[in-house]
Amino acid sequence: MTRRFKLFLSMILAAVLAVATAAAAGPVAAAPVKILALGTSLTQGYGLPPGTEFTVQLQAALKQAGIEAVIDNAGVSGDTSAGGVSRLDWSLADHPDAVILELGSNDMLRGTPPAETEKNLRAILDRLKAAHLPVLLVGMKAQRNLGVEYDAAFDGIYPRLAKAYGVLFYPFLLDGVALNPKLNQADGMHPNPAGVKIIVARILPLVKKLVAQVKH
């Protein structure tokens, strides 16, 4: 055999061995979907025992459904929509694949004008849209002691933004949990582990849709 032919044969054998090795190793597992949960104490897990927070329970529920995901808990107790704007770039530094946006409840508790809250949420959504990130917008309802006009103005923020930006929308994070003493902590505002479990079960179908929108 000529030297050139021997070299050619060696290259073929090397290629065959590489394919065989890859086949023996099996398929490469897809990287987990990275989800940023940007929110308030409701996301952060205020008052909850470690391991029972919203993000932890949601990640476990996704895994049980066969979805490998890592949820970054970017919830900050007491945070406002303005605070969310100011820390958004820092929160995106780890390059998430999708975002769950839960902000505005503390604005309402402070009596912040709904127009200001909406302006801030729009700024966040504009940034996420520019980054081509799928979003699940989580809504909140105003407490019914702030006046009819305030309640209507605040409650209208989330469906309006969801429609304007074409994002997935969960109208009320505390649906099925709010005002139920058995599902809330002593403050009556933050869910206990059982309440979080209900929240996760109800929001899970939309989170699955969020994952489905991720493009690798």
Side-chain angles (χ1 to χ4, degrees), residues 35-36 50 129 133 149 171:
I35 302 174
L36 172 70
K129 182 178 181 180
L133 289 170
E149 291 185 4

Side-chain angles (χ1 to χ4, degrees), residues 108-109 141-147 150-151 154-155 188-189:
M108 176 266 296
L109 293 174
K141 302 288 186 182
Q143 291 185 339
R144 286 341 195 209
N145 61 351
L146 299 172
Y150 188 98
D151 293 348
F154 184 86
D155 291 357
M189 299 173 60

Side-chain angles (χ1 to χ4, degrees), residues 2-206:
T2 65
R3 183 177 180 181
R4 180 176 296 180
F5 182 75
K6 287 181 179 180
L7 180 60
F8 175 73
L9 185 59
S10 298
M11 293 173 62
I12 294 295
L13 288 172
V16 170
L17 285 172
V19 172
T21 301
V28 178
V33 175
K34 293 192 295 185
I35 302 174
L36 172 70
L38 183 69
T40 66
S41 57
L42 296 171
T43 292
Q44 178 255 338
Y46 174 86
L48 293 171
T52 64
E53 304 95 322
F54 169 72
T55 53
V56 175
Q57 290 202 42
L58 180 57
Q59 184 172 312
L62 288 170
K63 185 174 182 64
Q64 190 172 12
I67 300 172
E68 293 295 329
V70 175
I71 303 181
D72 178 15
N73 188 339
V76 174
S77 184
D79 202 18
T80 62
S81 60
V85 173
S86 66
R87 65 187 176 94
L88 181 59
D89 286 342
W90 174 82
S91 298
L92 293 174
D94 196 35
H95 304 291
D97 300 308
V99 177
I100 297 173
L101 177 58
E102 177 270 307
L103 284 169
S105 57
N106 289 312
D107 297 52
M108 176 266 296
L109 293 174
R110 297 181 182 193
T112 301
E116 185 67 23
T117 300
E118 183 168 353
K119 176 184 175 182
N120 292 330
L121 291 175
R122 282 185 178 276
I124 294 172
L125 289 167
D126 283 338
R127 176 73 173 84
L128 298 179
K129 182 178 181 180
H132 305 290
L133 289 170
V135 176
L136 169 55
L137 177 63
V138 179
M140 183 54 62
K141 302 288 186 182
Q143 291 185 339
R144 286 341 195 209
N145 61 351
L146 299 172
V148 176
E149 291 185 4
Y150 188 98
D151 293 348
F154 184 86
D155 291 357
I157 292 172
Y158 298 94
R160 183 162 53 249
L161 291 178
K163 183 177 181 180
Y165 287 87
V167 297
L168 292 170
F169 178 46
Y170 189 70
F172 183 36
L173 179 65
L174 301 177
D175 182 43
V177 174
L179 304 180
N180 186 336
K182 294 182 179 180
L183 299 175
N184 285 278
Q185 300 176 43
D187 63 9
M189 299 173 60
H190 294 91
N192 59 27
V196 174
K197 184 176 181 180
I198 290 176
I199 293 171
V200 167
R202 294 196 177 200
I203 203 172
L204 183 61
L206 278 172

